[in-house]
């Protein structure tokens, strides 16, 4: 009555749809990658999640957030700073990671175990979500971006003012976000702490003072945590 069954051919529509790449902020990680590579000129590496190649334009000091907050005054206003969980990522001049061990020795911090990690040439850093332009508001991942109100003026590169809110801050689960985002159109190197600024009279931040401040705060955090432990655990850690 219904006739013979028809054979399934290669052109038949599959019953199970093909897998789709998950969407990231504002339609995928490709836009985020273009922002870093085209707007900032920062190299990235293939893969997901998106990661930045360290040691080309900058190095990174990875410190406890509490210690990093105490050192913010040692940074220029345009020096990028990121947060990831309980850690702060301070961008410093390229080559600083190689100088850090000797610098800590010179500052008499070399004999102590400090929660201070330097990421240099060949290292990777998780790419924080780009900041939302002025006039837009942050929304959860995958829901696109809210356009600016009619008649609003977009912010110019390097324009003064408070940092815009980053994508993903709503409901973030430890993902990296910008505390002080980089500004497209600005050369990041000019704002980064460098060893060559020691004793100089310019506006370039001094890497020596930054490292000394961070090391001091890391040591204080370590002592405070040790004092908070029960006596038995303190004895085991000696």
């Amino acid at each position: 009555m219904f006739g013979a069954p028809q054979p399934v051919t290669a052109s038949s529509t599959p019953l199970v749809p093909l897998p789709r790449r998950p969407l990231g902020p504002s339609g995928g990680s490709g836009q985020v990658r273009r922002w870093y590579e085209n707007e900032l000129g920062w190299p990235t590496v293939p893969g997901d999640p998106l990661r930045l190649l360290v040691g080309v334009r900058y190095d990174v000091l990875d410190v406890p957030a509490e210690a990093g907050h105490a050192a913010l005054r040692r940074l220029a206003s345009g020096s990028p700073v990121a947060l990831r969980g309980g850690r702060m990522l301070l961008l410093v001049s390229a080559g600083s990671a190689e100088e850090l061990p000797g610098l800590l020795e010179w500052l008499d911090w070399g004999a102590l175990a400090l929660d201070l990690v330097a990421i240099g040439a060949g290292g990777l850093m998780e790419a924080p979500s780009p900041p939302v332009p002025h006039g837009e508001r942050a929304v959860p991942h995958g829901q696109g971006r809210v356009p600016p109100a009619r008649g609003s003026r977009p912010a110019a590169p390097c324009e003064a003012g408070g940092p815009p809110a980053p994508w993903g801050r709503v409901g973030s689960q430890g993902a990296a976000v910008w505390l002080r985002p980089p500004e497209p159109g600005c050369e990041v190197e000019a704002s980064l702490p460098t060893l060559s600024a020691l004793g100089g009279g310019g506006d370039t931040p001094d890497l020596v003072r930054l490292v000394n401040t961070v090391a001091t705060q890391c040591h204080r955090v370590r002592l405070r945590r040790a004092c908070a432990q029960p006596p038995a655990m303190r004895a085991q850690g000696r």
Side-chain angles (χ1 to χ4, degrees):
M1 177 178 178
F2 297 100
Q6 297 297 320
V8 179
T9 63
S11 61
S12 302
T13 303
L15 298 178
V16 180
L18 297 175
R20 299 177 62 186
R21 184 180 182 87
L23 292 178
S26 188
S29 61
Q31 182 175 351
V32 178
R33 189 182 299 274
R34 287 192 295 272
W35 186 80
Y36 278 106
E37 294 182 348
N38 299 340
E39 298 293 330
L40 297 179
W42 291 9
T44 66
V45 296
D48 192 16
L50 180 62
R51 293 174 296 174
L52 307 174
L53 184 61
V54 180
V56 180
R57 303 286 304 273
Y58 52 84
D59 286 358
V60 176
L61 294 183
D62 183 339
V63 303
E66 183 177 351
H69 278 291
L72 291 180
R73 68 181 184 275
R74 298 295 186 188
L75 301 175
S77 59
S79 186
V81 177
L83 291 171
R84 187 181 188 279
R87 309 289 296 182
M88 184 175 288
L89 307 176
L90 308 173
L91 270 61
V92 294
S93 60
S96 298
E98 297 180 6
E99 303 287 350
L100 184 63
L103 185 54
L104 290 173
E105 288 285 348
W106 185 69
L107 293 169
D108 294 329
W109 290 110
L112 296 177
L114 299 173
D115 190 8
L116 171 60
V117 180
I119 306 173
L124 300 176
M125 169 186 169
E126 177 186 340
S129 294
V132 173
H134 293 281
E136 299 184 3
R137 68 175 185 271
V139 293
H141 282 190
Q143 296 185 15
R145 295 164 64 187
V146 179
R150 184 182 299 274
S152 62
R153 180 181 63 88
C158 307
E159 185 177 15
W167 281 333
R169 182 175 294 276
V170 180
S172 175
Q173 298 295 327
V177 296
W178 283 115
L179 177 64
R180 294 182 179 180
E183 293 285 354
C186 300
E187 291 295 331
V188 68
E189 289 84 355
S191 67
L192 300 181
T194 177
L195 192 61
S196 61
L198 178 62
D203 297 329
T204 305
D206 184 358
L207 180 66
V208 175
R209 291 187 175 91
L210 174 66
V211 169
N212 191 48
T213 301
V214 169
T216 301
Q217 296 301 321
C218 285
H219 184 52
R220 289 176 179 173
V221 170
R222 178 172 175 267
L223 291 177
R224 192 157 49 244
R225 291 174 179 173
C227 293
Q229 291 179 348
M233 295 185 63
R234 244 178 285 165
Q236 293 176 3
R238 292 176 182 174

PDB file of all heavy atoms in Angstrom, residues 67-90:
ATOM      1  N   ALA A  67      48.223  41.698  47.457  1.00  0.00           N
ATOM      2  CA  ALA A  67      49.519  42.333  47.264  1.00  0.00           C
ATOM      3  C   ALA A  67      49.498  43.242  46.044  1.00  0.00           C
ATOM      4  O   ALA A  67      50.111  44.316  46.047  1.00  0.00           O
ATOM      5  CB  ALA A  67      50.604  41.271  47.121  1.00  0.00           C
ATOM      6  N   GLY A  68      48.807  42.840  44.998  1.00  0.00           N
ATOM      7  CA  GLY A  68      48.750  43.654  43.800  1.00  0.00           C
ATOM      8  C   GLY A  68      48.042  44.975  44.014  1.00  0.00           C
ATOM      9  O   GLY A  68      48.477  46.015  43.502  1.00  0.00           O
ATOM     10  N   HIS A  69      46.944  44.959  44.784  1.00  0.00           N
ATOM     11  CA  HIS A  69      46.225  46.207  45.040  1.00  0.00           C
ATOM     12  C   HIS A  69      47.114  47.223  45.745  1.00  0.00           C
ATOM     13  O   HIS A  69      47.032  48.427  45.471  1.00  0.00           O
ATOM     14  CB  HIS A  69      44.977  45.926  45.875  1.00  0.00           C
ATOM     15  CG  HIS A  69      43.806  45.448  45.072  1.00  0.00           C
ATOM     16  ND1 HIS A  69      43.126  46.265  44.193  1.00  0.00           N
ATOM     17  CD2 HIS A  69      43.195  44.240  45.002  1.00  0.00           C
ATOM     18  CE1 HIS A  69      42.148  45.579  43.614  1.00  0.00           C
ATOM     19  NE2 HIS A  69      42.167  44.351  44.085  1.00  0.00           N
ATOM     20  N   ALA A  70      47.976  46.756  46.633  1.00  0.00           N
ATOM     21  CA  ALA A  70      48.862  47.668  47.357  1.00  0.00           C
ATOM     22  C   ALA A  70      49.915  48.275  46.444  1.00  0.00           C
ATOM     23  O   ALA A  70      50.500  49.308  46.778  1.00  0.00           O
ATOM     24  CB  ALA A  70      49.534  46.925  48.514  1.00  0.00           C
ATOM     25  N   ALA A  71      50.171  47.635  45.294  1.00  0.00           N
ATOM     26  CA  ALA A  71      51.210  48.111  44.386  1.00  0.00           C
ATOM     27  C   ALA A  71      50.675  48.947  43.235  1.00  0.00           C
ATOM     28  O   ALA A  71      51.462  49.428  42.414  1.00  0.00           O
ATOM     29  CB  ALA A  71      51.978  46.913  43.826  1.00  0.00           C
ATOM     30  N   LEU A  72      49.363  49.133  43.159  1.00  0.00           N
ATOM     31  CA  LEU A  72      48.802  49.863  42.018  1.00  0.00           C
ATOM     32  C   LEU A  72      49.315  51.293  41.929  1.00  0.00           C
ATOM     33  O   LEU A  72      49.399  51.859  40.839  1.00  0.00           O
ATOM     34  CB  LEU A  72      47.266  49.856  42.105  1.00  0.00           C
ATOM     35  CG  LEU A  72      46.588  48.510  41.874  1.00  0.00           C
ATOM     36  CD1 LEU A  72      45.075  48.654  42.003  1.00  0.00           C
ATOM     37  CD2 LEU A  72      46.952  47.929  40.517  1.00  0.00           C
ATOM     38  N   ARG A  73      49.659  51.870  43.079  1.00  0.00           N
ATOM     39  CA  ARG A  73      50.144  53.252  43.045  1.00  0.00           C
ATOM     40  C   ARG A  73      51.503  53.358  42.358  1.00  0.00           C
ATOM     41  O   ARG A  73      51.941  54.465  42.003  1.00  0.00           O
ATOM     42  CB  ARG A  73      50.235  53.810  44.466  1.00  0.00           C
ATOM     43  CG  ARG A  73      51.304  53.158  45.333  1.00  0.00           C
ATOM     44  CD  ARG A  73      51.298  53.765  46.737  1.00  0.00           C
ATOM     45  NE  ARG A  73      52.373  53.226  47.565  1.00  0.00           N
ATOM     46  CZ  ARG A  73      52.307  52.107  48.256  1.00  0.00           C
ATOM     47  NH1 ARG A  73      51.197  51.373  48.196  1.00  0.00           N
ATOM     48  NH2 ARG A  73      53.319  51.696  48.985  1.00  0.00           N
ATOM     49  N   ARG A  74      52.191  52.232  42.199  1.00  0.00           N
ATOM     50  CA  ARG A  74      53.487  52.222  41.520  1.00  0.00           C
ATOM     51  C   ARG A  74      53.342  52.134  40.004  1.00  0.00           C
ATOM     52  O   ARG A  74      54.342  52.133  39.289  1.00  0.00           O
ATOM     53  CB  ARG A  74      54.319  51.032  42.006  1.00  0.00           C
ATOM     54  CG  ARG A  74      54.647  51.046  43.494  1.00  0.00           C
ATOM     55  CD  ARG A  74      55.538  52.207  43.850  1.00  0.00           C
ATOM     56  NE  ARG A  74      55.972  52.158  45.249  1.00  0.00           N
ATOM     57  CZ  ARG A  74      56.625  53.135  45.858  1.00  0.00           C
ATOM     58  NH1 ARG A  74      56.923  54.244  45.181  1.00  0.00           N
ATOM     59  NH2 ARG A  74      56.980  53.017  47.124  1.00  0.00           N
ATOM     60  N   LEU A  75      52.122  52.048  39.515  1.00  0.00           N
ATOM     61  CA  LEU A  75      51.886  51.888  38.088  1.00  0.00           C
ATOM     62  C   LEU A  75      51.379  53.188  37.488  1.00  0.00           C
ATOM     63  O   LEU A  75      50.732  53.993  38.156  1.00  0.00           O
ATOM     64  CB  LEU A  75      50.865  50.775  37.836  1.00  0.00           C
ATOM     65  CG  LEU A  75      51.223  49.381  38.357  1.00  0.00           C
ATOM     66  CD1 LEU A  75      50.051  48.433  38.134  1.00  0.00           C
ATOM     67  CD2 LEU A  75      52.472  48.854  37.673  1.00  0.00           C
ATOM     68  N   ALA A  76      51.651  53.363  36.207  1.00  0.00           N
ATOM     69  CA  ALA A  76      51.062  54.484  35.478  1.00  0.00           C
ATOM     70  C   ALA A  76      49.579  54.231  35.279  1.00  0.00           C
ATOM     71  O   ALA A  76      49.114  53.093  35.314  1.00  0.00           O
ATOM     72  CB  ALA A  76      51.767  54.667  34.142  1.00  0.00           C
ATOM     73  N   SER A  77      48.828  55.299  35.086  1.00  0.00           N
ATOM     74  CA  SER A  77      47.370  55.159  34.943  1.00  0.00           C
ATOM     75  C   SER A  77      46.986  54.299  33.752  1.00  0.00           C
ATOM     76  O   SER A  77      45.950  53.650  33.752  1.00  0.00           O
ATOM     77  CB  SER A  77      46.732  56.543  34.815  1.00  0.00           C
ATOM     78  OG  SER A  77      47.266  57.240  33.692  1.00  0.00           O
ATOM     79  N   GLY A  78      47.817  54.264  32.715  1.00  0.00           N
ATOM     80  CA  GLY A  78      47.495  53.478  31.531  1.00  0.00           C
ATOM     81  C   GLY A  78      48.114  52.094  31.517  1.00  0.00           C
ATOM     82  O   GLY A  78      48.027  51.404  30.509  1.00  0.00           O
ATOM     83  N   SER A  79      48.727  51.675  32.630  1.00  0.00           N
ATOM     84  CA  SER A  79      49.369  50.369  32.683  1.00  0.00           C
ATOM     85  C   SER A  79      48.311  49.287  32.905  1.00  0.00           C
ATOM     86  O   SER A  79      47.622  49.297  33.930  1.00  0.00           O
ATOM     87  CB  SER A  79      50.400  50.330  33.811  1.00  0.00           C
ATOM     88  OG  SER A  79      51.123  49.121  33.792  1.00  0.00           O
ATOM     89  N   PRO A  80      48.153  48.333  31.980  1.00  0.00           N
ATOM     90  CA  PRO A  80      47.075  47.344  32.100  1.00  0.00           C
ATOM     91  C   PRO A  80      47.275  46.404  33.289  1.00  0.00           C
ATOM     92  O   PRO A  80      48.389  45.974  33.581  1.00  0.00           O
ATOM     93  CB  PRO A  80      47.145  46.566  30.779  1.00  0.00           C
ATOM     94  CG  PRO A  80      47.879  47.477  29.837  1.00  0.00           C
ATOM     95  CD  PRO A  80      48.858  48.211  30.691  1.00  0.00           C
ATOM     96  N   VAL A  81      46.168  46.079  33.955  1.00  0.00           N
ATOM     97  CA  VAL A  81      46.161  45.166  35.101  1.00  0.00           C
ATOM     98  C   VAL A  81      44.928  44.284  34.971  1.00  0.00           C
ATOM     99  O   VAL A  81      43.835  44.776  34.677  1.00  0.00           O
ATOM    100  CB  VAL A  81      46.111  45.940  36.441  1.00  0.00           C
ATOM    101  CG1 VAL A  81      46.025  44.965  37.619  1.00  0.00           C
ATOM    102  CG2 VAL A  81      47.323  46.851  36.585  1.00  0.00           C
ATOM    103  N   ALA A  82      45.091  42.985  35.188  1.00  0.00           N
ATOM    104  CA  ALA A  82      43.985  42.034  35.091  1.00  0.00           C
ATOM    105  C   ALA A  82      43.819  41.295  36.407  1.00  0.00           C
ATOM    106  O   ALA A  82      44.762  41.178  37.203  1.00  0.00           O
ATOM    107  CB  ALA A  82      44.206  41.047  33.955  1.00  0.00           C
ATOM    108  N   LEU A  83      42.618  40.781  36.637  1.00  0.00           N
ATOM    109  CA  LEU A  83      42.303  39.955  37.793  1.00  0.00           C
ATOM    110  C   LEU A  83      41.855  38.583  37.313  1.00  0.00           C
ATOM    111  O   LEU A  83      41.137  38.471  36.316  1.00  0.00           O
ATOM    112  CB  LEU A  83      41.184  40.581  38.631  1.00  0.00           C
ATOM    113  CG  LEU A  83      41.510  41.864  39.391  1.00  0.00           C
ATOM    114  CD1 LEU A  83      40.238  42.451  39.985  1.00  0.00           C
ATOM    115  CD2 LEU A  83      42.522  41.604  40.495  1.00  0.00           C
ATOM    116  N   ARG A  84      42.281  37.556  38.050  1.00  0.00           N
ATOM    117  CA  ARG A  84      41.824  36.196  37.750  1.00  0.00           C
ATOM    118  C   ARG A  84      41.689  35.449  39.066  1.00  0.00           C
ATOM    119  O   ARG A  84      42.685  35.074  39.676  1.00  0.00           O
ATOM    120  CB  ARG A  84      42.772  35.465  36.816  1.00  0.00           C
ATOM    121  CG  ARG A  84      42.221  34.114  36.352  1.00  0.00           C
ATOM    122  CD  ARG A  84      43.193  33.396  35.438  1.00  0.00           C
ATOM    123  NE  ARG A  84      42.603  32.209  34.855  1.00  0.00           N
ATOM    124  CZ  ARG A  84      42.497  31.032  35.475  1.00  0.00           C
ATOM    125  NH1 ARG A  84      42.957  30.911  36.714  1.00  0.00           N
ATOM    126  NH2 ARG A  84      41.946  30.004  34.872  1.00  0.00           N
ATOM    127  N   GLY A  85      40.458  35.253  39.506  1.00  0.00           N
ATOM    128  CA  GLY A  85      40.235  34.637  40.806  1.00  0.00           C
ATOM    129  C   GLY A  85      40.842  35.499  41.904  1.00  0.00           C
ATOM    130  O   GLY A  85      40.590  36.698  41.985  1.00  0.00           O
ATOM    131  N   GLY A  86      41.688  34.909  42.731  1.00  0.00           N
ATOM    132  CA  GLY A  86      42.357  35.655  43.789  1.00  0.00           C
ATOM    133  C   GLY A  86      43.722  36.165  43.396  1.00  0.00           C
ATOM    134  O   GLY A  86      44.522  36.530  44.269  1.00  0.00           O
ATOM    135  N   ARG A  87      44.018  36.213  42.105  1.00  0.00           N
ATOM    136  CA  ARG A  87      45.329  36.646  41.620  1.00  0.00           C
ATOM    137  C   ARG A  87      45.193  37.935  40.813  1.00  0.00           C
ATOM    138  O   ARG A  87      44.164  38.217  40.215  1.00  0.00           O
ATOM    139  CB  ARG A  87      45.955  35.568  40.723  1.00  0.00           C
ATOM    140  CG  ARG A  87      45.986  34.186  41.312  1.00  0.00           C
ATOM    141  CD  ARG A  87      46.978  34.075  42.440  1.00  0.00           C
ATOM    142  NE  ARG A  87      48.352  34.278  41.984  1.00  0.00           N
ATOM    143  CZ  ARG A  87      49.402  34.186  42.801  1.00  0.00           C
ATOM    144  NH1 ARG A  87      49.234  33.912  44.098  1.00  0.00           N
ATOM    145  NH2 ARG A  87      50.632  34.380  42.342  1.00  0.00           N
ATOM    146  N   MET A  88      46.271  38.704  40.811  1.00  0.00           N
ATOM    147  CA  MET A  88      46.346  39.908  39.989  1.00  0.00           C
ATOM    148  C   MET A  88      47.501  39.748  39.019  1.00  0.00           C
ATOM    149  O   MET A  88      48.577  39.269  39.383  1.00  0.00           O
ATOM    150  CB  MET A  88      46.545  41.158  40.853  1.00  0.00           C
ATOM    151  CG  MET A  88      46.532  42.455  40.054  1.00  0.00           C
ATOM    152  SD  MET A  88      46.619  43.940  41.107  1.00  0.00           S
ATOM    153  CE  MET A  88      44.971  43.915  41.827  1.00  0.00           C
ATOM    154  N   LEU A  89      47.272  40.146  37.774  1.00  0.00           N
ATOM    155  CA  LEU A  89      48.262  40.061  36.719  1.00  0.00           C
ATOM    156  C   LEU A  89      48.700  41.471  36.350  1.00  0.00           C
ATOM    157  O   LEU A  89      47.918  42.252  35.810  1.00  0.00           O
ATOM    158  CB  LEU A  89      47.683  39.341  35.499  1.00  0.00           C
ATOM    159  CG  LEU A  89      47.054  37.966  35.773  1.00  0.00           C
ATOM    160  CD1 LEU A  89      46.421  37.408  34.503  1.00  0.00           C
ATOM    161  CD2 LEU A  89      48.086  37.000  36.323  1.00  0.00           C
ATOM    162  N   LEU A  90      49.953  41.802  36.683  1.00  0.00           N
ATOM    163  CA  LEU A  90      50.509  43.126  36.425  1.00  0.00           C
ATOM    164  C   LEU A  90      51.389  43.045  35.183  1.00  0.00           C
ATOM    165  O   LEU A  90      52.350  42.266  35.149  1.00  0.00           O
ATOM    166  CB  LEU A  90      51.346  43.600  37.614  1.00  0.00           C
ATOM    167  CG  LEU A  90      50.676  43.559  38.993  1.00  0.00           C
ATOM    168  CD1 LEU A  90      51.687  43.892  40.081  1.00  0.00           C
ATOM    169  CD2 LEU A  90      49.503  44.514  39.054  1.00  0.00           C
TER     170      LEU A  90
END
